[in-house]
Amino acid sequence: MWDFLIPLFAATVQSGTPILYATLGEMMTEKGGVLNLGVEGMMAVSALAAFWASYVTGSPWLGFLAGGCAGMVMASLHAFVCVSCLGNQVVSGLALTILGGGLTHFLGVPYVGLAAPGFDPFNFPLLSQIPVLGDIFFKHDMLVYVSFVIPVLFWFFFKRTSLGLHVAATGEMPAAAAAAGLKPIRLRYFAVIAGGFLVGLGGAYLSLAYTHLWTNGLSGGRGWIAVALVIFAFWRPGRAVAGAYLFGGVMAFQLRLQAAGTHLPSSLLLMLPYLLTILVLILSAWRGRRIDAPAALGTNIEPEG
């Protein structure tokens, strides 16, 4: 039993890591009051940018940074359309997804099947020797270990820093934030671009650590999973970690079932996390629980005079 469960749980952590990066990025964006449905396209572009930079320079860390920067560039387009031009946030996000998918399919053709330097697993000193937990959590690549720290920093940013509190205030009541002397437009730009950087890191993980190669469709719907996970987690980073590993566990489990020769359609298993998200929302509404979404989420604000 342990010979099956421990590798499965370890694969769960690996599969959930890119989803966790993307979820926290979307959560950062929504905390500022902007909805971004372009996460799928952003992850695809970031995965290609990270692969290309690592392939050309031979440095996976430069590739990782390039992936984050690509996410920032894509997010900047969304911010310009929605924050400066007051465009429809849903339409802009969907356009971003279509744009990202088209760009990667066009620009990535020469690199399909090629390998690039990436991040390899290594045993984390001392912690990897802990029975069971060491095998599950501390025998991965460096980007997994970085993902353990980011949710803590995310919580600290929104609970203990003035900038984080200002971003959250902008997502709740931008008019009140402006009356208090804050700059809601600038704060929304920051939230969208910073969130895009985290989404980009999730895309970079796919090509530099998860596969070490490029292939079209590498994001595989993980961007949409991240959008759903923000709701599932009630905009809380701790729950985002649990949700990302839940989704990652389902992905890892269905891959092992396919390898075992089962005839159960994998699509049925991939439906489970989305079904759980719907059930959580239904139960929350039934119990009268507040969803905790930012009050001004999806609402445009007039440019500063």
Side-chain angles (χ1 to χ4, degrees):
M1 178 64 70
W2 285 114
D3 290 340
F4 173 77
L5 289 179
I6 290 179
L8 175 62
F9 290 150
T12 294
V13 173
Q14 184 185 34
S15 298
T17 296
I19 300 174
L20 177 58
Y21 278 114
T23 301
L24 293 176
E26 175 64 11
M27 194 177 294
M28 169 73 77
T29 301
E30 294 190 12
K31 282 279 193 178
V34 178
L35 176 66
N36 186 359
L37 298 182
V39 178
E40 178 75 7
M42 293 168 62
M43 289 187 74
V45 170
S46 299
L48 178 59
F51 176 87
W52 178 83
S54 179
Y55 182 80
V56 171
T57 65
S59 171
W61 282 108
L62 286 178
F64 190 52
L65 180 61
C69 291
M72 292 176 64
V73 171
M74 295 287 285
S76 297
L77 294 176
H78 185 64
F80 176 75
V81 171
C82 299
V83 180
S84 296
C85 300
L86 305 181
N88 186 287
Q89 296 180 14
V90 174
V91 174
S92 176
L94 293 176
L96 210 61
T97 290
I98 297 172
L99 173 64
L103 279 176
T104 53
H105 276 75
F106 176 71
L107 298 177
V109 171
Y111 304 102
V112 172
L114 297 180
F119 295 91
D120 296 316
F122 68 95
N123 295 344
F124 199 92
L126 299 179
L127 296 179
S128 61
Q129 299 176 15
I130 300 175
V132 182
L133 293 180
D135 292 327
I136 295 174
F137 292 104
F138 300 108
K139 293 185 178 180
H140 295 285
D141 56 83
M142 190 63 190
L143 302 189
V144 172
Y145 303 139
V146 172
S147 73
F148 294 162
V149 179
I150 288 183
V152 179
L153 297 178
F154 188 96
W155 174 87
F156 183 84
F157 175 76
F158 279 103
K159 294 296 185 180
R160 295 291 185 268
T161 69
S162 58
L163 179 57
L165 293 172
H166 293 167
V167 170
T170 299
E172 293 291 341
M173 297 185 66
L182 304 180
K183 302 291 185 180
I185 297 296
R186 298 180 187 179
L187 290 169
R188 281 197 166 184
Y189 259 98
F190 172 82
V192 175
I193 295 174
F197 181 77
L198 288 175
V199 171
L201 297 185
Y205 184 89
L206 292 173
S207 58
L208 297 180
Y210 196 69
T211 63
H212 288 217
L213 54 83
W214 171 253
T215 181
N216 288 327
L218 192 59
S219 54
R222 291 174 177 84
W224 295 113
I225 292 175
V227 173
L229 255 182
V230 175
I231 304 172
F232 181 88
F234 294 101
W235 288 266
R236 298 178 184 176
R239 294 187 179 184
V241 175
Y245 289 160
L246 172 64
F247 277 62
V250 172
M251 288 183 169
F253 185 59
Q254 64 94 8
L255 288 174
R256 276 160 172 73
L257 283 182
Q258 289 182 2
T262 181
H263 297 291
L264 185 66
S266 61
S267 56
L268 291 179
L269 291 171
L270 291 176
M271 286 170 52
L272 292 179
Y274 296 101
L275 180 61
L276 285 174
T277 301
I278 295 174
L279 289 176
V280 167
L281 294 176
I282 292 174
L283 288 174
S284 298
W286 178 63
R287 295 175 61 184
R289 179 175 178 176
R290 191 164 61 93
I291 298 299
D292 291 334
L297 178 62
T299 303
N300 290 330
I301 56 178
E302 292 295 329
E304 300 163 359

